[in-house]
Structures are given as structure tokens and as C-alpha cells.
Amino acid sequence: MIQHLAWDDDISVAGEVLTHSSRLSSEALLQIAGTKGQDHLFAISARENLPKRVTDVIINRGEDRVIRRLAKNASAQFSDDGYSNIVARAEGDDELIEILGLRLDLPAKLLRDLLRRAKDTVRARLLAIAPPAVRDEIQKVLNDIAQAGAAAPRRNYGVAEELVKLMKQLNELDDAAVYNFAETGKFDEVTVALAVLNDMPIEMIERLMLGPRSDLILIPCRSARLNWPTVESILCKRPMTHPIDEVTLKVAERDYRRLSMETAQRTVRFWQLHNRLEKQPMAVG
């Protein structure tokens, strides 16, 4: 009877069984998680002591609300791949970053990756709400990230800048040119090209290119009218310690196709204005 109820398509019938019944085997949960819809995954996500192979399936198939509920389940177990994938899913999802950041079992390497992706406001909130033991670890990781950023030397883009500006004058600086730069690993040229095409300072694009958030790179790429294959090449081949994973890349492609030219160009104009205001000398009077 329990098995019959758990497999029912009506979540009002199956929900409580999927969440609470101790008579459901891991095999049954695995099959249901692999075939039923999001409501069934949502119900399973709250079960106590979910095994790794079930959480792997939920992470691969679940939508955002399912993933957040699973991340809140303190007794759920995660494989190494599962944890890597759920951290990748947190890209641009402040709520999920907060939930994962408070997990006691999140590996240190992934906590660092998570916090590198997080906005400053999310980092501050995590420090404010985390219990002492977790807060100390979060603060340590944030200190390490800050020190690493401060130690990074400023690159010299002189040669790349001359080439890219010449190409611009000759009307040769287009999507095909940027794609060729990315495919051949010429990321000084990619950085300068995005700066020139968007009339942005090179150092601003450099911060985006070397930073952990792939979503921010999408904005100047869209504003520069780059096609997705070129953006994909930039994301996959940029010089990062941890290459972009498949889940994050798929999310980036979805977001890029949704990002309008108008929104991207408006954001770039805001960045340009903000940068000019920061550099203006303070009036004395």
C-alpha cells in the first residue's frame, strides 16, 4: 500500500508518504526521483537521511525550489559530485548560497568556491547569522580570498591594447575576432576587446574576467553583441583555477539567451558612470 501511494501521480496522495514513510526503500526513492515531477522531488527532498545516490538525482533534475529545500535538509548526504553540482547551481542564487554556507558538512574547498561566487551583501549576512563554529570558518575563508585578491599583480596589456585598437580602426574587431582570441588562449586580447567594444576601462573587464562569477561576464559580452559560441569559449577557456562545470555553463547559456541587449547596455552604462564618479576628485569649498 505504501509503495502504491508513493508512486501516485497526485502529490496530495504521494507527498506525505514520500517525505515521512520509513517503509520506502532507497531503490524506490531512486526510481521515483528519476521519473516523477518536481512536486515529488520537492517532497523527497525533505526526507531524513537521504542517501547520496538519491540526492545526486535530485540535484540533476530538481528546479530551484527543490534544490533549496534539499540544501536545507541537514541530514541529507551528498557525494563529492553532488556537492560540486549544487554549489555550481548556487551561481547567482543568493538564497541558496546562504543555505549552503551554513551547512556544517560542506567541504572547505567548496565553501571557498561558494564564497568566491557570493556578493558582499550575502557574505555579510552569512557572517551575521552563522553559528560561531561556522562563522569562524567563513571568516577565515573570506580573509584568504581577500589576501589572494590583494596579491594579484596588475597585468600589462600594452601589446594587446595596440593590436585591438588597430583592429577597431580597421573595422576588424567583431565577434569572429573575439572568438579567435578566446579559442587560441589570447585572454589579454579578449579582455582588451571587451573593454574597447564597451568603452569600459580595461581594469574593470579584467576584474570580471579573473573573478569567480561567470554571470557578470555575460553582461559586457551581450552588450558587445557577441554570439553564444564566442561567450562559451570565453567562459570555458579563461584562466581560472577551477574550470567552469557543465551545470554552470548550461545556466550561463540559458541566462545569456534571456539577457536583452537593452538590459546589458544599460548595466554597462551604469558601470561606466559609477567608475567615472569614483575617479572624480572631491570638491573642496
Side-chain angles (χ1 to χ4, degrees):
M1 178 62 72
I2 289 293
Q3 296 287 333
H4 180 74
L5 293 173
W7 276 95
D8 200 293
D9 289 336
D10 188 343
I11 193 61
S12 66
V13 175
E16 287 298 311
V17 174
L18 291 173
T19 302
H20 299 295
S21 176
S22 60
R23 295 183 176 273
L24 281 177
S25 67
S26 295
E27 286 299 330
L29 289 170
L30 195 62
Q31 292 174 22
I32 295 170
T35 57
K36 293 292 187 179
Q38 295 300 315
D39 288 340
H40 288 68
L41 289 174
F42 189 76
I44 295 172
S45 295
R47 283 183 67 88
E48 290 188 1
N49 302 312
L50 272 175
K52 295 177 182 179
R53 53 185 185 151
V54 177
T55 59
D56 280 347
V57 174
I58 294 174
I59 293 168
N60 287 333
R61 296 193 64 234
E63 59 189 20
D64 290 347
R65 67 186 180 104
V66 173
I67 299 300
R68 293 189 192 113
R69 194 181 204 197
L70 179 64
K72 288 179 181 178
N73 186 342
S75 66
Q77 302 170 28
F78 296 92
S79 67
D80 291 342
D81 286 344
Y83 249 144
S84 294
N85 289 336
I86 200 171
V87 167
R89 286 285 299 267
E91 183 89 31
D93 188 335
D94 294 348
E95 182 180 349
L96 183 54
I97 289 176
E98 287 186 13
I99 296 168
L100 290 171
L102 296 176
R103 286 193 68 96
L104 297 174
D105 58 347
L106 184 67
K109 176 183 175 182
L110 291 178
L111 177 62
R112 179 182 178 85
D113 189 28
L114 186 76
L115 293 176
R116 287 176 69 245
R117 300 168 186 263
K119 300 173 185 174
D120 288 341
T121 52
V122 178
R123 294 174 176 180
R125 177 166 167 77
L126 271 172
L127 285 172
I129 64 178
V134 179
R135 186 186 310 127
D136 291 345
E137 183 62 24
I138 290 173
Q139 187 63 68
K140 179 179 180 299
V141 171
L142 290 177
N143 290 342
D144 290 344
I145 292 173
Q147 289 174 5
R154 175 70 170 86
R155 297 174 66 89
N156 186 338
Y157 291 94
V159 175
E161 190 171 3
E162 289 182 14
L163 171 63
V164 169
K165 287 186 175 179
L166 177 60
M167 293 177 69
K168 175 70 171 176
Q169 292 173 8
L170 298 174
N171 293 320
E172 295 177 356
L173 187 60
D174 54 14
D175 176 80
V178 179
Y179 178 79
N180 183 60
F181 286 149
E183 282 292 294
T184 54
K186 296 180 178 179
F187 273 85
D188 286 359
E189 286 79 358
V190 171
T191 301
V192 176
L194 284 174
V196 170
L197 289 169
N198 287 286
D199 192 24
M200 292 174 66
I202 294 174
E203 59 267 21
M204 288 184 69
I205 298 294
E206 179 189 51
R207 287 199 296 270
L208 299 181
M209 292 292 291
L210 299 179
R213 294 186 56 188
S214 58
D215 60 319
L216 294 180
I217 297 175
L218 303 181
I219 295 170
C221 288
R222 174 60 82 191
S223 177
R225 302 178 185 274
L226 299 184
N227 297 321
W228 171 249
T230 302
V231 181
E232 182 180 25
S233 183
I234 292 172
L235 294 179
C236 290
K237 295 179 181 291
R238 67 187 179 122
M240 298 293 290
T241 304
H242 303 292
I244 191 169
D245 57 79
E246 278 298 320
V247 174
T248 305
L249 188 62
K250 287 180 181 177
V251 172
E253 180 178 6
R254 179 200 67 192
D255 291 345
Y256 193 69
R257 297 191 187 284
R258 292 177 178 175
L259 179 62
S260 70
M261 185 74 65
E262 180 184 1
T263 298
Q265 292 179 341
R266 185 169 59 246
T267 304
V268 166
R269 287 196 297 271
F270 172 78
W271 286 347
Q272 292 166 336
L273 176 62
H274 184 69
N275 182 67
R276 286 196 291 269
L277 290 175
E278 282 186 339
K279 291 187 174 181
Q280 282 182 358
M282 184 177 295
V284 178

